[in-house]
Amino acid sequence: GRPSCVRITTKVAALFDRLEFDRSTPPPPSSFFGHTMGVRGTKKHLKRLNAPKHWMLDKLGGIFAPKPSPGPHKARECLPLILLLRNRLKYALTGKEVTSIMMQRLIKVDGKVRTDKTYPTGLMDVVEIEKTNEFFRLLYDVKGRFVVHRISKEEAGYKLCRVKDVKYGSKGIPCVITHDGRTIRYPDPLIKANDTVVLDIETGKIKDFVKFDVGNMVVITGGRNRGRAGIMIHREKHKGTFDICHVKDAAGNTFATRMANVFVIGKGTTPLITMPKGKGVKLTILEEAARRNNK
């Protein structure tokens, strides 16, 4: 007359005793059963408040922001194509519209069709919209934000690349590594690190180069002076720490920054590219207010 549940429990206990099952051993890991706990790979999302400030996304416009895909520019130093088409050029109202534009293969970056809406475009990249016959170059304004600068078809045929490193590749082939992730083989032997090369977009070959010398025109690509342009007037060498470059802009203002932030854009006082509005001259708060009032 014992209940059935008690009889089953007794049978199970007897079965375990017969199998000599060691109850002290821990259970097998969850991966043993074909699934794992935990994170796989990099994060796929980006919260809107953590997005770079220079994207200028409104705080209350949603929870998330587009996370840039891995590409030639760093995540916090790039502008995803979705923001370029939707927020800057206003060719789309929603992300879905951007996707439909991209999937028609209408957008080229540096001469190559890109269909990834989060593809990271960055400094000096040339964006081409074939259907409207428009060409744009990504540059910084004096407040350090990306500006989509309209250029001519002739100017869209080349871009400037800052040389990050010069090294020998496999089989002793000399190469230069540029700021946008390119490896260009067999460069001119006179090209050194920090110089600027003029790259033909169609062929991928170096057309010309500019040395990193005092007296050349430069633009600042990092730090508080990002976006300012001027002539390099002095270079301080500090062994064991950062070299400092002094720059004088068109208004006669001088400022200093680290050498790593300096990008040469012209021989002498003539730039090789057209500059956006303001020409890289930063105004004071009072000058900005006066200009607004005059309008």
Side-chain angles (χ1 to χ4, degrees):
R2 283 188 296 177
S4 58
C5 60
V6 177
R7 285 202 300 272
I8 292 167
T9 311
T10 312
K11 283 181 181 177
V12 170
L15 180 64
F16 275 123
D17 290 339
R18 210 180 308 150
L19 292 173
E20 296 178 350
F21 186 78
D22 186 4
R23 298 182 189 188
S24 63
T25 56
S30 56
S31 59
F32 178 81
F33 298 108
H35 62 86
T36 55
M37 304 289 287
V39 179
R40 279 173 177 266
T42 55
K43 290 183 179 178
K44 307 291 192 295
H45 294 77
L46 176 67
K47 288 286 181 77
R48 184 148 295 215
L49 292 180
N50 290 335
K53 292 288 175 281
H54 61 79
W55 288 3
M56 294 188 293
L57 297 175
D58 45 345
K59 191 163 69 169
L60 302 177
I63 298 171
F64 294 101
K67 184 173 173 65
S69 301
H73 298 279
K74 292 180 180 178
R76 304 197 74 81
E77 295 172 11
C78 76
L79 188 71
L81 278 174
I82 182 173
L83 296 183
L84 191 142
L85 291 171
R86 184 185 64 191
N87 298 32
R88 297 287 197 276
L89 298 178
K90 305 285 194 286
Y91 275 128
L93 293 173
T94 62
K96 202 167 186 179
E97 288 179 11
V98 173
T99 304
S100 63
I101 292 170
M102 304 289 290
M103 287 306 171
Q104 291 176 60
R105 303 178 71 81
L106 300 174
I107 310 298
K108 286 184 178 178
V109 179
D110 290 345
K112 285 192 175 182
V113 172
R114 299 292 176 187
T115 56
D116 177 13
K117 66 182 179 183
T118 54
Y119 180 83
T121 59
L123 183 66
M124 297 292 171
D125 282 0
V126 175
V127 179
E128 178 186 346
I129 305 174
E130 219 166 356
K131 208 163 193 177
T132 58
N133 199 33
E134 288 180 307
F135 304 90
F136 304 94
R137 191 187 302 281
L138 258 77
L139 298 168
Y140 289 121
D141 66 5
V142 290
K143 298 199 173 180
R145 305 171 300 205
F146 273 117
V147 58
V148 184
H149 176 57
R150 195 181 296 267
I151 57 175
S152 65
K153 188 173 183 178
E154 292 71 36
E155 195 188 331
Y158 64 89
K159 69 180 290 191
L160 304 184
C161 298
R162 187 178 194 270
V163 177
K164 288 178 71 176
D165 197 11
V166 180
K167 58 171 68 174
Y168 289 95
S170 61
K171 299 180 182 175
I173 295 171
C175 306
V176 294
I177 315 298
T178 62
H179 80 283
D180 59 348
R182 294 171 191 267
T183 302
I184 305 168
R185 308 195 322 160
Y186 299 112
D188 189 303
L190 298 175
I191 296 174
K192 303 296 179 197
N194 304 317
D195 293 350
T196 295
V197 296
V198 181
L199 188 86
D200 187 285
I201 286 175
E202 193 177 350
T203 61
K205 302 280 174 62
I206 295 172
K207 294 201 303 186
D208 195 8
F209 66 95
V210 187
K211 296 295 292 178
F212 188 85
D213 284 333
V214 169
N216 284 342
M217 189 165 186
V218 300
V219 69
I220 309 303
T221 61
R224 289 196 59 182
N225 293 309
R226 184 161 66 181
R228 296 180 74 175
I231 307 299
M232 190 178 3
I233 56 173
H234 182 52
R235 176 180 166 187
E236 295 176 9
K237 291 189 178 181
H238 298 282
K239 286 193 174 181
T241 183
F242 302 101
D243 288 5
I244 302 295
C245 293
H246 294 260
V247 180
K248 188 174 188 177
D249 67 11
N253 305 315
T254 57
F255 55 94
T257 187
R258 289 181 183 179
M259 189 176 74
N261 297 333
V262 178
F263 192 128
V264 179
I265 59 166
K267 294 177 182 176
T269 57
T270 311
L272 294 168
I273 55 171
T274 56
M275 296 294 287
K277 191 174 77 172
K279 309 292 183 189
V281 177
K282 190 171 188 176
L283 303 175
T284 63
I285 297 170
L286 294 174
E287 287 170 338
E288 278 185 9
R291 182 169 287 189
R292 277 197 303 272
N293 294 334
N294 290 338
K295 285 182 180 177

